[in-house]
């Protein structure tokens, strides 16, 4: 069974987090539903399960982007910002 790839904020916000495969690379996408959209490329190999867990934990926070950085750091998943 595949991992969940998209997550929406459970607290009523329009925050969205997801990951996608594009040109052989994994990208993380954040959108606040209003004005901010950010994209990061995952550097190196990372399991989809660990990435999915990090995104699930981050989107449940009121401050999604700082929480995303914390969750990725806990799991030693390196990223580089490519848009936003």
């Amino acid at each position: 069974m595949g991992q969940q790839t998209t997550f929406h904020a459970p607290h009523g916000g329009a925050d969205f987090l997801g990951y996608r495969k594009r040109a052989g690379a994994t990208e993380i996408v954040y959108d606040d539903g209003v004005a901010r959209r950010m994209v990061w490329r995952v550097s190196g190999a990372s399991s989809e399960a660990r990435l999915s867990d990090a995104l699930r934990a981050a989107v449940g926070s009121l401050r999604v982007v700082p929480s995303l950085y914390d969750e990725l750091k806990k799991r030693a998943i390196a990223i580089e910002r490519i848009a936003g």
Side-chain angles (χ1 to χ4, degrees):
M1 184 176 196
Q3 296 294 319
Q4 184 175 351
T5 61
T6 60
F7 304 89
H8 292 274
H11 50 75
D15 293 314
F16 164 86
L17 267 177
Y19 71 91
R20 64 187 180 199
K21 302 280 185 172
R22 182 173 276 188
T26 301
E27 296 177 348
I28 298 172
V29 179
Y30 167 75
D31 195 311
D32 71 358
V34 180
R36 196 161 90 169
R37 180 182 167 103
M38 301 165 80
V39 181
W40 299 269
R41 181 176 298 123
V42 176
S43 302
S46 178
S47 77
E48 290 183 3
R50 288 185 344 155
L51 190 55
S52 183
D53 289 344
L55 270 58
R56 180 180 296 110
V59 82
S61 170
L62 291 176
R63 297 182 63 220
V64 176
V65 174
S67 181
L68 174 64
Y69 288 132
D70 290 342
E71 294 298 328
L72 293 173
K73 186 175 181 179
K74 284 182 199 174
R75 291 164 177 83
I77 299 172
I79 57 171
E80 66 174 295
R81 192 166 170 180
I82 58 174

